[in-house]
Amino acid sequence: MADRIFSSWGGQVLDSRQGTAKGADDVPIPRSLPSGTPLLGLMGWDGLAVWDGRANPIDMARAYAEGLVRYSCGQCVPCRVGSKVIFDALSRVCEGRGEPGDVATVERLAERLRNQAMCDLGRSCGKAFSDLVTHFRAELDEAIGKKAKVPRGEYRLKVTAPCKSACPAHLDIPTYVELIKKGRFEDSLEVIRQDNCLPGTVGRVCVRPCEFNCRRQNVDGPVQIKYLKRFVADYELDRNRPPRLPKPTPDKEKVAIVGAGPAGLSCAYYLAQLGYDVTVFEALPEPGGMAAVGIPDYRLPRWILRREADLIADLGVTVRYNTEVGRDVTWDDLVKGGFKAVFLAVGARLGTGLRAPGEEDAKEGFMRGADFLRDVALGKPVFVGKRLVVVGGGNVAIDCVRTGLRVGYEKVTLVYRRTEAEMPADKVEIADAKAEGIEFLFLHNPTRLVLDESGKVKGVELIKMELGEPDESGRRRPVPIEGSEFVLETDAVIPAIGQAIDLGFLPEDAPVKADRRNQIQVEGLNKLAAVVDGVGVFSAGDCVTGPLTLIAGLAGGKEAAFQIDRFLREERTEPLEEWVMNEYVAQLKPYDPAEDVGVPATTEPAHIHHVPVEERIQDFREAEIGFTHEEAIADASRCLRCYRLLLVAPEPEGRGLETGN
Amino acid sequence: MINVTIDGVRVEVPKGATILEAAQEAGIRIPTLCYLKKLSPIGSCRMCVVEVEGCTKPVTACDTPAGDGMVVTTDSEELREMRRDVLRLLLVRHPLDCPVCDKGGECDLQDLVYEFGVTAESYRTEPFERDVPRYVSPFIRQWPDRCVLCGRCVRACKEVKGVGCIQIVDNGFYSYIGPVPGVECISCGECLSVCPVGALTDSVHPTKARIWQAERVPTTCGYCGVGCQLELNVLNGEVIRVTTTDFDRAPNFGSLCVKGRFGWEFVNHPDRLEKPLVRKDGELKEATWDEALGLVARKLQEIKDEHGADAVGGLSSARCTNEENYLFQKFMRAVIGTNNVDHCARL
């Protein structure tokens, strides 16, 4: 038996108002917000649901229509005017002034929204109004007939989109893509900068969860969101336009940030804009953390990253490079040095080993992936032979093979224990590596290093693998085939199978807790790790989550900044309402890969251009060339603008958002 | 090339052509409002909805590329009703002040409402008041209530003129066309020429005339040598405004600059010279063309005879056409016999 009085969510109607449940299986909807507040009802892109009689669907629809009036962009007629006509009709009904034709008006215009609105904001909102009229017609007629006022509830509204919801930093993708379509490139960049302080960087190397949640791929391929972001960032750079960033004055408390990687920079970016006096301590001689020394220059030219970090410094942030906390600055300097909050964003900078015999004894030809990439990035000498074997299937492994080729290895092989289909690396990256002549050896795993007497790598012993049952990640587990070992001759071996967190800077007695993988333990969305004598210690990024992505680091830093602000202003931590709603929306899964979008498949994604292989493998020049204006505008025009509006009715004691007039 | 079937008519169009373009190729009209050939299509008015076989929802013809083998239906009762609803919704806010509107008689909305027989205001909103900041130019008057927010003016300003001084401000029902802060209007009137309704009108001349009362005289703009084509609207022998209605006509395709569109008042000015003047007894007096030209020819001949051809120099004007300038230099070289010829736009 379902927990709901009524639900039309997920294409299934469930109606237990008459004491008997109609409808088939329950479509699960989380009953409570992630903050714990229970919901009375909900209305959104997939219909409506009522758990509690205190939630009145007619008033919910009125508030939902009000939200649509507020968020409708105003371009298309059915949504611009239709939303207001619907809202006014429902308002009349709720105020006891309903007229006989009002229900028919709502019904008809809801249908127009669903089929005729230009973008998916109107289209998706139409369903809720249709469902209201279909399933609550008697209630509507009664309210109109009796001229009875409908009690007004308190609601929270949330605008989202499948791409926006999938992005860890929740960039307002449909808006900035649409501005590109209109040729308003700098306005687009301004929108991006609200949620992302490294647009040119992310526009080059993001793993782009947005594109994997883009509804256009159900039609004819996703909108090229990543490259569009790069395009507007490059537009500003190429034309030497002054970035549209504020000039805040640091007149608030001092905050220390450990690490100038994506999370640290992002946190500094928001704190500085909020007026805090921020100092960032960075062990490396330059900004970016793993983005600088983990991502090779042919994917992300360092000057792009440096410029974007400089813009953050221009907000009034002090960045102290070559300053390693634990060596040049002590823990006590941070928590007792006048800083009111400390943000730990040290990332996961250590490379991990092969966990195979021989690696301890290797004197030459064995390097850990993260170390190899860092040394190359910093211009330090690395061992270069003729043949190189890289072990791993992620983006770091691909970075290692392509970097290996560029530093002078002649034959580079990537060894991965599963097949290409299971490789976590970006498909585009895999294709680029193949084009550059990298050899891929799938279903093999190293069992030991083969060394000569002096400790030089001579080869690596591999065992053949086959795929067995799926593991908890859903990928089929690789199983070694007994007795299939053989030795592959090579001069060097690089494992690129993970990174580890270095918490060596923390003294033994620091109250910051970490798990067995050295992941710093924080209070969920609050990002609070500890409070030391009134100083709030926060943490986010790879050192909390384990190695993730650049955009996740940026998101973590941003969330931490707002938590630090709340901590310093209100002396408390509590997840911001926006993030609570973001989490809830994600649970509702706004992207449906099986949906028939109903648009003809007559476009194709714009293709990025590449520097020819023979030229690009000579050095670390950028391998990809950005979109032209025409390509960017054409691709941006493919966006379906899948905004979705969600209304929830929380328990009244919850901190609700009053949406009434 | 791809093959598309529109209402049973098979046409071949280049890849990338829109459904609307394919329909035009097939000789089939699809009603439009926000679409204008010279601007990028945005599909915002939703008048051009058509049915595509295999697609569950109607699509807009103006901005949807046609596909090979696509089968399109442009007319059905359902589509007509959808189009009617667009018009009914537009009439929720659009005042029916057609009798006093400058655009009456050449208004796209008026024509569509007439065509689709939308006679009553089927939908309504509660009364509301709003005070929209108008975008003001000495030559252009804005009537925000009449605006249907098709965005043609915004696109024309940006795409045709590269100015981008107007944009859609605010959102939803309360959105309006307003100025872009910091970007100055050049008063070219491009917005005015593309407005489908009477939301932007010409405020230069006080004389009003219904569109069918004035005679439209096609002519070439005389301000510079580009040769822009325009129409003088003439009422009782007086110019009352300049319009451009043929957006396919080279070289300007309906675009004009501020001078061409609004700088015509001199034509009616009482001080304007309409006949040549010849100085007689120290006073300029009206003369015939034969008299004036004869005098000039005689004087030139005298100078040439007395001082040689190089004593004469000719300066031509950028307001003449290429052909006129060519003739002028020919005249100087071949008739006068000097190379002393120059042009004000040479530098």
Side-chain angles (χ1 to χ4, degrees):
Chain A
M1 182 68 192
D3 60 345
R4 272 158 280 167
I5 298 172
F6 176 84
S7 175
S8 62
W9 196 264
Q12 289 181 359
V13 177
L14 190 146
D15 195 342
S16 54
R17 281 175 292 176
Q18 310 303 322
T20 49
K22 279 193 293 188
D25 297 335
D26 188 12
V27 176
I29 316 175
R31 169 79 206 262
S32 299
L33 297 177
S35 57
T37 310
L39 299 180
L40 308 179
L42 153 159
M43 187 169 273
W45 57 87
D46 216 357
L48 71 150
V50 178
W51 285 277
D52 187 304
R54 286 173 289 166
N56 186 306
I58 303 174
D59 189 59
M60 275 163 59
R62 176 200 58 78
Y64 195 65
E66 189 182 20
L68 180 59
V69 172
R70 190 188 306 167
Y71 294 111
S72 165
C73 75
Q75 287 184 75
C76 81
V77 179
C79 184
R80 177 176 79 232
V81 188
S83 64
K84 182 70 162 69
V85 175
I86 291 175
F87 170 63
D88 283 357
L90 289 171
S91 294
R92 280 196 295 274
V93 175
C94 288
E95 289 160 14
R97 302 188 286 115
E99 293 164 17
D102 284 343
V103 177
T105 296
V106 172
E107 184 174 27
R108 185 179 172 93
L109 290 181
E111 195 55 33
R112 292 287 174 252
L113 279 175
R114 294 175 76 174
N115 288 319
Q116 211 178 351
M118 180 161 71
C119 80
D120 224 57
L121 177 69
R123 289 182 176 226
S124 65
C125 283
K127 179 169 193 299
F129 302 124
S130 290
D131 285 1
L132 174 84
V133 175
T134 307
H135 301 289
F136 294 87
R137 192 183 292 273
E139 286 82 349
L140 283 161
D141 287 343
E142 189 185 323
I144 293 168
K146 290 184 177 168
K147 304 265 175 218
K149 283 195 176 180
V150 177
R152 183 165 285 204
E154 284 192 0
Y155 309 104
R156 290 187 206 172
L157 280 170
K158 174 75 188 167
V159 178
T160 185
C163 50
K164 185 172 153 71
S165 177
C167 174
H170 303 294
L171 264 72
D172 192 356
I173 295 162
T175 294
Y176 79 70
V177 169
E178 184 167 35
L179 287 168
I180 294 173
K181 174 183 165 185
K182 290 180 177 167
R184 291 167 60 181
F185 305 135
E186 284 171 281
D187 293 342
S188 173
L189 187 57
E190 199 174 356
V191 170
I192 293 171
R193 282 214 172 100
Q194 289 169 8
D195 301 294
N196 179 338
C197 58
L198 306 175
T201 301
V202 174
R204 284 173 165 79
V205 297
C206 191
V207 295
R208 55 193 205 290
C210 50
E211 291 181 24
F212 295 101
N213 285 269
C214 173
R215 278 171 79 243
R216 187 87 212 187
Q217 75 188 302
N218 295 19
V219 183
D220 48 17
V223 175
Q224 299 296 293
I225 301 168
K226 179 179 86 166
Y227 293 133
L228 288 175
K229 181 156 46 248
R230 170 184 170 166
F231 169 77
V232 287
D234 286 359
Y235 180 88
E236 178 188 87
L237 261 178
D238 294 347
R239 276 156 197 77
N240 216 5
R241 299 276 168 89
R244 294 191 201 160
L245 285 168
K247 286 269 168 226
T249 22
D251 53 3
K252 291 189 188 159
E253 290 88 340
K254 283 174 71 181
V255 179
I257 293 177
V258 185
L265 288 175
S266 175
C267 187
Y269 175 75
Y270 292 101
L271 285 177
Q273 292 189 50
L274 291 166
Y276 292 96
D277 181 358
V278 182
T279 307
V280 183
F281 300 94
E282 171 55 55
L284 291 169
E286 64 173 299
M290 292 307 284
V293 299
I295 300 176
D297 285 9
Y298 62 84
R299 279 216 287 143
L300 171 60
R302 212 84 54 81
W303 66 275
I304 297 279
L305 189 53
R306 285 180 193 142
R307 175 191 179 261
E308 295 193 325
D310 284 347
L311 293 180
I312 297 169
D314 287 348
L315 299 173
V317 174
T318 309
V319 189
R320 290 177 56 186
Y321 293 112
N322 294 308
T323 308
E324 173 126 20
V325 173
R327 187 188 69 200
D328 308 309
V329 171
T330 66
W331 173 251
D332 278 356
D333 291 338
L334 298 182
V335 293
K336 293 176 186 164
F339 297 109
K340 298 293 177 205
V342 178
F343 178 54
L344 305 177
V346 296
R349 64 175 178 176
L350 300 180
T352 52
L354 206 51
R355 290 184 219 106
E359 61 179 317
E360 312 298 331
D361 306 320
K363 300 277 187 290
E364 186 183 276
F366 180 76
M367 298 161 275
R368 291 159 194 242
D371 300 344
F372 172 69
L373 293 174
R374 182 175 59 243
D375 287 350
V376 172
L378 294 176
K380 292 185 182 170
V382 290
F383 173 78
V384 179
K386 285 194 168 171
R387 292 162 300 178
L388 170 67
V389 170
V390 173
V391 182
N395 284 326
V396 178
I398 301 283
D399 287 343
C400 286
V401 291
R402 295 180 71 188
T403 297
L405 206 61
R406 284 164 172 78
V407 296
Y409 284 95
E410 286 165 17
K411 184 168 182 352
V412 183
T413 307
L414 184 139
V415 172
Y416 180 51
R417 60 193 179 132
R418 305 185 212 233
T419 71
E420 184 171 349
E422 286 86 22
M423 272 181 89
D426 197 318
K427 298 280 172 270
V428 179
E429 288 281 308
I430 297 171
D432 287 349
K434 281 184 174 170
E436 290 173 8
I438 306 294
E439 183 185 74
F440 285 72
L441 206 51
F442 296 111
L443 290 169
H444 283 78
N445 207 29
T447 44
R448 87 187 151 87
L449 277 183
V450 182
L451 309 171
D452 70 5
E453 322 73 62
S454 62
K456 277 187 176 176
V457 170
K458 300 288 291 175
V460 59
E461 186 186 86
L462 301 174
I463 188 165
K464 291 187 179 167
M465 312 287 280
E466 58 188 354
L467 292 180
E469 295 299 309
D471 61 12
E472 65 271 16
S473 74
R475 295 180 301 175
R476 290 174 68 191
R477 191 190 301 274
V479 184
I481 304 172
E482 295 281 332
S484 66
E485 293 89 343
F486 68 99
V487 171
L488 180 67
E489 286 189 14
T490 181
D491 305 314
V493 173
I494 295 176
I497 48 179
Q499 283 151 241
I501 299 159
D502 180 5
L503 293 184
F505 69 99
L506 284 176
E508 288 287 312
D509 58 349
V512 175
K513 292 190 181 63
D515 69 4
R516 60 184 176 83
R517 290 175 169 174
N518 266 357
Q519 286 173 214
I520 294 174
Q521 303 293 293
V522 294
E523 287 176 17
L525 280 173
N526 300 341
K527 313 288 176 203
L528 183 69
V531 179
V532 184
D533 299 332
V535 175
V537 180
F538 294 79
S539 186
D542 284 357
C543 61
V544 169
T545 57
L548 278 183
T549 58
L550 215 163
I551 190 70
L554 290 181
K558 176 187 173 191
E559 289 171 15
F562 288 105
Q563 285 301 336
I564 290 169
D565 177 52
R566 175 172 265 187
F567 174 82
L568 294 177
R569 277 188 302 115
E570 304 172 22
E571 295 183 342
R572 68 188 179 95
T573 54
E574 185 188 307
L576 293 185
E577 211 165 270
E578 190 192 335
W579 300 332
V580 170
M581 291 304 288
N582 280 336
E583 291 282 308
Y584 187 72
V585 163
Q587 292 173 14
L588 292 176
K589 297 192 173 54
Y591 174 61
D592 175 6
E595 183 197 351
D596 174 10
V597 174
V599 175
T602 51
T603 68
E604 57 183 271
H607 296 292
I608 201 84
H609 307 279
H610 288 87
V611 175
V613 169
E614 56 274 20
E615 284 178 38
R616 72 183 192 231
I617 60 170
Q618 302 301 320
D619 51 31
F620 282 83
R621 78 184 70 175
E622 188 166 20
E624 291 176 341
I625 303 164
F627 286 155
T628 61
H629 285 208
E630 292 74 21
E631 287 165 341
I633 289 173
D635 204 75
S637 305
R638 301 174 59 246
C639 176
L640 299 167
R641 209 173 172 276
C642 315
Y643 275 124
R644 275 127 171 59
L645 187 61
L646 180 72
L647 172 141
V648 294
E651 278 276 346
E653 59 269 28
R655 292 157 26 82
L657 178 73
E658 176 58 58
T659 63
N661 288 318
Chain B
M1 297 295 274
I2 53 173
N3 282 302
V4 189
T5 307
I6 315 270
D7 294 342
V9 181
R10 214 175 126 107
V11 283
E12 204 180 55
V13 290
K15 195 169 185 290
T18 61
I19 295 174
L20 184 67
E21 285 159 353
Q24 283 163 349
E25 186 66 32
I28 292 164
R29 172 180 165 269
I30 298 173
T32 56
L33 182 59
C34 68
Y35 172 82
L36 197 63
K37 190 178 167 190
K38 66 174 171 178
L39 305 175
S40 61
I42 55 169
S44 76
C45 73
R46 318 309 282 175
M47 280 301 288
C48 68
V49 280
V50 294
E51 288 158 8
V52 173
E53 215 173 87
C55 289
T56 47
K57 293 186 174 182
V59 301
T60 39
C62 74
D63 64 345
T64 306
D68 198 21
M70 190 181 256
V71 179
V72 179
T73 306
T74 70
D75 195 22
S76 69
E77 185 43 39
E78 173 63 14
L79 288 172
R80 272 198 295 271
E81 199 48 27
M82 291 175 97
R83 290 170 186 151
R84 274 187 209 112
D85 262 346
V86 165
L87 297 170
R88 288 179 186 126
L89 286 169
L90 284 174
L91 292 184
V92 165
R93 208 171 72 175
H94 188 90
L96 293 176
D97 63 348
C98 308
V100 296
C101 177
D102 283 8
K103 200 78 174 185
E106 56 170 356
C107 167
D108 290 358
L109 182 64
Q110 204 178 39
D111 292 348
L112 287 166
V113 165
Y114 180 69
E115 177 188 349
F116 282 89
V118 179
T119 53
E121 294 176 52
S122 313
Y123 301 120
R124 68 182 177 94
T125 56
E126 296 290 308
F128 65 96
E129 287 200 9
R130 58 188 204 136
D131 189 20
V132 167
R134 297 184 183 198
Y135 101 82
V136 180
S137 139
F139 304 121
I140 303 164
R141 180 158 179 200
Q142 190 184 12
W143 306 74
D145 287 345
R146 292 179 186 162
C147 178
V148 292
L149 285 153
C150 64
R152 278 191 191 179
C153 54
V154 174
R155 282 176 284 157
C157 186
K158 177 139 186 109
E159 295 174 12
V160 178
K161 287 299 165 71
V163 176
C165 68
I166 46 174
Q167 62 183 352
I168 294 180
V169 185
D170 284 352
N171 51 344
F173 188 69
Y174 301 102
S175 53
Y176 61 92
I177 306 291
V180 176
V183 185
E184 207 174 329
C185 170
I186 58 167
S187 288
C188 65
E190 189 74 27
C191 51
L192 183 105
S193 73
V194 298
C195 182
V197 294
L200 294 166
T201 59
D202 175 335
S203 60
V204 176
H205 202 272
T207 304
K208 282 173 179 276
R210 303 311 321 193
I211 195 63
W212 53 87
Q213 292 175 303
E215 186 190 356
R216 288 195 173 178
V217 183
T219 186
T220 304
C221 178
Y223 270 109
C224 78
V226 170
C228 289
Q229 300 300 299
L230 52 79
E231 297 140 9
L232 293 175
N233 289 225
V234 181
L235 181 73
N236 301 331
E238 244 190 43
V239 176
I240 57 162
R241 63 170 183 163
V242 162
T243 51
T244 49
T245 48
D246 187 352
F247 294 153
D248 291 325
R249 194 160 176 209
N252 55 318
F253 304 98
S255 292
L256 290 174
C257 70
V258 59
K259 291 193 273 185
R261 190 174 300 278
F262 299 117
W264 46 263
E265 282 178 300
F266 70 90
V267 178
N268 303 333
H269 201 280
D271 292 350
R272 184 185 161 202
L273 285 183
E274 289 172 331
K275 291 188 175 127
L277 301 181
V278 171
R279 195 176 299 276
K280 291 174 185 163
D281 308 325
E283 213 177 307
L284 286 168
K285 290 199 172 136
E286 274 190 12
T288 63
W289 281 108
D290 281 348
E291 194 182 343
L293 289 172
L295 176 72
V296 171
R298 204 168 57 245
K299 292 281 183 191
L300 282 172
Q301 188 66 52
E302 282 172 24
I303 295 167
K304 200 177 149 186
D305 292 346
E306 200 169 324
H307 303 286
D310 283 344
V312 182
L315 262 179
S316 180
S317 168
R319 287 182 54 177
C320 299
T321 62
N322 272 340
E323 292 80 359
E324 287 161 345
N325 277 311
Y326 175 81
L327 285 174
F328 184 73
Q329 64 82 31
K330 201 72 177 172
F331 170 77
M332 291 305 291
R333 291 193 168 104
V335 179
I336 306 284
T338 178
N339 286 327
N340 292 343
V341 61
D342 212 336
H343 183 277
C344 73
R346 186 175 64 86
L347 287 178

